[in-house]
Amino acid sequence: MKYPKIRELKEAVISLVTPAYTTSFPRKPHIPFENYRGKPEVDDKNCVGCETCANVCPSRAITIEDDRTTGKRVITRNFGKCIFCGMCQQHCITGKGVTLSDKIFDLAVFDRNKVIEKQEKNLVICKNCNAVITTDEHIRYMHNKLGPLAFASILNLNLLNEKLELVKKEETEVEIRDGLKRKDMFNIICPNCMRSVLIQYI
Ligand code: SF4
Ligand code: SF4
């Protein structure tokens, strides 16, 4: 039998008298240190559903599904895949939609579905080609940020027009069936379709 080296004996004695580095979770709550990066917390009121965080998430923990028939966007955040890198917080366009909390041990669950969160947002859809433009909250956010400059965009003018009902609602909600016309400049259409109208008629 080999005798332990002096260094190993010293380490064994030190570890016997020093407190443990690991926490006693779940017997005692975990107390995180300052600036600990844990579970991202979503603030739905400040999240406009713009998709930026899904595009920058390196582990694809955030996914977006657009349903044109219901007009809804579903944002799914699977924290079982999250690596707590903080990219979603750093790139959030409102700066307040998602913030990394210091919670992490709360993600220890037996059922993985319990760490999946979903949000729903209303879509703005092109009335000509059915393409998704973005969410209504996203457009409103950009509008507030730009102020009067937002009306340089025809889409914004048309959305305002729809809200103020300057033109009869039936007229703006008519489906475009027979190709784009000049009148469709006053309809909710995507930038590609707007470009076609402008090229054709201006
Ligand atoms: S912290 Fe990183 S991995 Fe987690 S959801 Fe945000 S971007 Fe994705
Ligand atoms: S980047 Fe921010 S505002 Fe956009 S979807 Fe993500 S959390 Fe919401």
Side-chain angles (χ1 to χ4, degrees):
M1 180 187 145
K2 278 190 181 173
Y3 292 106
K5 292 179 202 154
I6 301 291
R7 181 182 59 81
E8 287 163 347
L9 269 174
K10 196 176 142 201
E11 276 174 18
V13 173
I14 291 172
S15 67
L16 269 176
V17 293
T18 49
Y21 282 111
T22 51
T23 78
S24 308
F25 183 87
R27 271 188 290 116
K28 287 185 195 164
H30 169 65
I31 300 162
F33 51 82
E34 211 186 324
N35 297 329
Y36 190 89
R37 289 205 313 230
K39 178 181 174 280
E41 296 281 7
V42 179
D43 179 358
D44 193 48
K45 279 197 205 114
N46 284 305
C47 168
V48 295
C50 67
E51 204 177 334
T52 307
C53 53
N55 291 334
V56 297
C57 176
S59 64
R60 303 202 174 169
I62 310 166
T63 48
I64 306 277
E65 268 174 275
D66 290 337
D67 188 339
R68 289 175 175 83
T69 43
T70 57
K72 298 278 178 197
R73 165 169 289 176
V74 178
I75 306 165
T76 307
R77 297 173 199 261
N78 183 346
F79 297 113
K81 288 185 178 176
C82 177
I83 55 170
F84 316 106
C85 63
M87 293 291 275
C88 50
Q89 177 179 337
Q90 191 182 338
H91 293 278
C92 176
I93 65 157
T94 67
K96 297 184 232 158
V98 62
T99 318
L100 262 62
S101 67
D102 58 8
K103 290 185 206 151
I104 187 121
F105 282 48
D106 313 65
L107 290 173
V109 288
F110 287 110
D111 181 0
R112 283 172 190 244
N113 291 323
K114 287 194 176 151
V115 291
I116 296 177
E117 288 176 12
K118 286 184 190 277
Q119 284 170 273
E120 217 176 67
K121 301 284 175 190
N122 293 325
L123 287 172
V124 177
I125 294 173
C126 174
K127 289 187 179 166
N128 179 50
C129 69
N130 216 22
V132 170
I133 302 173
T134 183
T135 63
D136 58 353
E137 285 178 48
H138 187 192
I139 290 192
R140 224 176 296 136
Y141 171 76
M142 290 191 294
H143 210 133
N144 289 339
K145 216 164 173 188
L146 288 168
L149 288 176
F151 294 110
S153 150
I154 300 176
L155 175 65
N156 277 335
L157 273 176
N158 292 342
L159 285 164
L160 178 73
N161 183 34
E162 194 176 61
K163 207 170 163 191
L164 296 179
E165 294 184 29
L166 296 175
V167 177
K168 280 183 205 155
K169 210 159 181 149
E170 313 87 76
E171 285 175 39
T172 53
E173 281 186 351
V174 171
E175 255 184 76
I176 304 165
R177 291 179 198 279
D178 48 354
L180 287 165
K181 298 273 174 349
R182 193 186 172 105
K183 70 175 174 55
D184 295 317
M185 273 185 73
F186 305 101
N187 222 327
I188 307 299
I189 54 175
C190 69
N192 283 340
C193 291
M194 183 60 78
R195 202 172 308 126
S196 308
V197 178
L198 292 175
I199 289 170
Q200 235 175 310
Y201 295 101
I202 290 185

